[in-house]
Amino acid sequence: MLFYQLKSLLTFNARQNWLASIIWTLSIVAMTIVVAGAFANLYGSGEERDTMAQTLENPAMVAMIGPAYGIENYTLGAMMANQMLLFTAIALGIMSILMITKMTRKQEEEGKFELIRSMPVGRLSSLSSSLILVGLVNLIIGLATAVGLIMIQVEGIDVEGSIMYGTVLTVTGLIFTGITAVITQLTETSRGVLGLSIAVLLVAYFVRAIGDVSNEALSLVSPLGLILRAEVYVENYWWPIIISVVIALVFTMLAFYLHNRRDLGSGLLPSKPGKKEASKLLLSPLGLILRLQRTQIISWLVAMLFLGASYGSVLGDLESFFADNEVLQQMIGKNPNYTLTEQFITMLMVVLSIFATIPMIILFLKIRAEEKKERNEHLLTTGISRYKLLSHYLGVSAIMGVISLFIALYGLWAAGAAAMDDPIPFVNILKAGMSYLPAMLIILAIANLLFAFLPKWTPLVWAYLVFSFFTVYLGGMIDIPEKISNISSFNHIPQIPVEEFSWTPLLILLAIGIISLVISQFGYRNRDAEG
């Protein structure tokens, strides 16, 4: 039987992933409800909502969060969907990608799947249990979100729209669950699955951004663009939901078909044959690290270039939009030394720097993954010290962060220069963006400290990064107390050119980061190899 012992495997996977499921559920649902309540306090009057609606019509904001709708009668529900739905849906997509990869290809790569298959279980039972569990988590998040939004009883956030909001989140998670399940059958490594799946998510975001600004038909090609056409809390169209469910089912059925055809431990895509003789770079730990992460490094650099270019491509329309809008000019401020576009760009700098932090942390966390697989021990037995091994990972990660941010800033400037009559000097963009490097270093230092002293809790660094993003992105809208927002290192960086440049916070963050990295070296050298 293809699905024999499905119930037992489902219970096993649930026990293995209960903590991650609860954390994801509580985080997403709580954030959604908190933001909805904050909107009610901040934008209680129609005039305040109309002012916010005008900010969402400019091309840069459309590229970032999607097209605004319902602005003729801008309710709190429409505002909530406009500003939060896309990013929350992306969070569920990332969650689904991580969970499916962990429960399928990663288990297979580590030999656990072979142990399970050696027992009397159906050929499709393991994949089915993983898909069902991740699907249930997505469904619970969608239901809990809908119920939470209904219970807070905010004007404009009605029952039908709340159900639609939760449903959109669920189907987005199911789509990327199915996509990741298919990719799992194609590649031989969990690293490849994660890389390709995240790449699909990024491409979906970029296609949606370009389509929303220039061509709606192009936006419909993207799953992220499709779900926004539901126009939650305004029209509540169900056809995008139905199409999304069909897409999720197609990818799921395709995953089952491919899984039934391939051999255990292999991928359907042919592996590239290795060289007969290894490169001389592999004689050093640094060369080995770069070789193992080569594909991810290249993929992320290309993604960061496209991310910057996608935002830069709409800069040419901003000046004319701002010129006829007195309200926005008052909100942004008037500085005769800088154009309105330059002042608006400060909003993009934080977003690009946080995105540039992601590949930096991913590369560093590989040292923990290699340690769990007991591969670091092989390097340490060759006479390489722990100090050098950790230093190599730190160096590669830090350089990756710098290059990623530079590439994104260059893409922003290059695309902006092509779209604007009076381009912003590259040095201005570079100065504003590179100011965030000390804040990125703090994130790396936190990851390093966790790895050195609490290795099992190293993934908690992602919670701090997500907190930083929502603090900076939503801090002004939901009125986060300054004591809480200051916990984020990104909140201490001067927003150039709107704010006056100051070396003091940058040097303090830099000093804290360097001291933390030094302390973590001693911690790693003195703890057990397996943590």
Side-chain angles (χ1 to χ4, degrees), residues 97 176 183 193-206 299-300 303:
I97 290 172
F176 286 98
I183 295 175
V193 173
L194 277 176
L196 286 176
S197 300
I198 295 297
V200 171
L201 180 62
L202 290 173
V203 169
Y205 181 82
F206 295 149
S299 300
W300 271 105

Side-chain angles (χ1 to χ4, degrees), residues 14-200:
R15 289 177 177 176
Q16 293 289 314
N17 298 275
W18 68 270
L19 181 59
S21 302
I22 291 176
I23 292 175
W24 275 106
T25 301
L26 293 179
S27 300
I28 293 174
V29 175
M31 180 60 66
T32 302
I33 295 174
V34 167
V35 171
F39 280 160
N41 295 328
L42 291 175
Y43 304 101
S45 68
E47 292 181 358
E48 292 173 329
R49 292 194 295 271
D50 290 340
T51 300
M52 178 55 65
Q54 293 179 59
T55 68
L56 301 180
E57 290 186 285
N58 73 77
M61 293 301 293
V62 171
M64 185 182 298
I65 64 176
Y69 52 85
I71 57 177
E72 297 83 4
N73 180 25
Y74 206 50
T75 64
L76 288 171
M79 179 184 295
M80 178 70 184
N82 284 162
Q83 299 193 35
M84 287 297 298
L85 184 57
L86 176 60
F87 285 121
T88 310
I90 290 175
L92 264 76
I94 294 174
M95 178 199 73
S96 301
I97 290 172
L98 294 176
M99 292 187 70
I100 285 292
T101 303
K102 179 182 178 182
M103 287 188 283
T104 55
R105 177 54 69 177
K106 190 172 184 180
Q107 283 193 354
E108 192 169 344
E109 190 178 27
E110 294 176 350
K112 298 177 183 178
F113 189 70
E114 185 176 1
L115 180 63
I116 294 174
R117 286 288 298 273
S118 66
M119 297 162 43
V121 297
R123 184 176 178 84
L124 299 181
S125 296
S126 183
L127 178 60
S128 300
S129 64
S130 301
L131 291 172
I132 292 174
L133 179 60
V134 178
L136 286 174
V137 174
N138 279 289
L139 180 60
I140 291 172
I141 291 176
L143 286 172
T145 301
V147 171
L149 290 173
I150 293 172
M151 291 181 64
I152 60 175
Q153 296 183 349
V154 172
E155 184 181 358
I157 299 182
D158 55 25
V159 174
E160 182 183 359
S162 298
I163 294 174
M164 173 71 75
Y165 195 103
T167 304
V168 167
L169 297 182
T170 297
V171 297
T172 305
L174 293 178
I175 287 177
F176 286 98
T177 297
I179 290 174
T180 307
V182 171
I183 295 175
T184 299
Q185 317 309 318
L186 302 179
T187 63
E188 294 184 352
T189 64
S190 59
R191 185 172 63 248
V193 173
L194 277 176
L196 286 176
S197 300
I198 295 297
V200 171

Side-chain angles (χ1 to χ4, degrees), residues 264-282:
L264 182 66
S266 65
L268 294 176
L269 292 178
S271 300
K272 183 180 179 180
K275 297 180 180 180
K276 294 182 179 180
E277 296 182 0
S279 170
K280 292 183 180 180
L281 289 175
L282 296 180

Side-chain angles (χ1 to χ4, degrees), residues 400-528:
M400 180 63 181
V402 175
I403 297 177
S404 296
L405 182 56
F406 178 84
I407 288 290
L409 296 174
Y410 177 80
L412 176 69
W413 170 79
M420 300 173 66
D421 296 329
D422 185 17
I424 301 172
F426 180 59
V427 65
N428 290 3
I429 292 180
L430 192 64
K431 184 178 179 180
M434 287 298 177
S435 297
Y436 284 91
L437 287 177
M440 297 168 60
L441 178 63
I442 294 295
I443 306 290
L444 181 60
I446 292 174
N448 201 15
L449 287 170
L450 288 171
F451 172 70
F453 294 98
L454 299 169
K456 294 181 180 179
W457 295 96
T458 305
L460 281 178
V461 67
W462 293 117
Y464 182 77
L465 185 62
V466 172
F467 168 80
S468 297
F469 176 78
F470 280 103
T471 298
V472 176
Y473 179 71
L474 299 173
M477 292 187 292
I478 63 178
D479 198 21
I480 296 177
E482 187 176 357
K483 292 182 179 180
I484 296 178
S485 61
N486 283 338
I487 296 175
S488 170
S489 58
F490 291 87
N491 199 56
H492 298 276
I493 305 299
Q495 295 186 351
I496 305 170
V498 175
E499 297 179 358
E500 185 178 351
F501 179 79
S502 174
W503 280 103
T504 302
L506 275 64
L507 293 176
I508 292 175
L509 290 175
L510 190 62
I512 294 174
I514 292 175
I515 292 172
S516 300
L517 294 178
V518 172
I519 293 174
S520 61
Q521 287 284 0
F522 292 100
Y524 178 56
R525 289 170 62 184
N526 295 326
R527 73 167 173 82
D528 295 334

Side-chain angles (χ1 to χ4, degrees), residues 303-317:
M304 293 305 299
L305 179 63
F306 275 102
L307 179 63
S310 65
Y311 288 134
S313 62
V314 299
L315 293 181
D317 300 325

Side-chain angles (χ1 to χ4, degrees), residues 313-368:
S313 62
V314 299
L315 293 181
D317 300 325
L318 291 181
E319 203 67 30
S320 59
F321 177 81
F322 286 141
D324 300 326
N325 198 315
E326 292 293 333
V327 176
L328 290 181
Q329 291 184 28
Q330 294 175 6
M331 291 179 61
I332 294 175
K334 296 181 180 180
N335 189 326
N337 297 320
Y338 299 96
T339 65
L340 292 170
T341 302
E342 285 179 305
Q343 296 173 65
F344 184 77
I345 274 181
T346 58
M347 296 179 60
L348 300 179
M349 293 298 105
V350 183
V351 175
L352 293 179
S353 61
I354 289 180
F355 270 102
T357 307
I358 295 175
M360 180 178 71
I361 299 303
I362 289 177
L363 290 184
F364 175 76
L365 292 184
K366 290 302 179 182
I367 188 174
R368 175 58 181 165

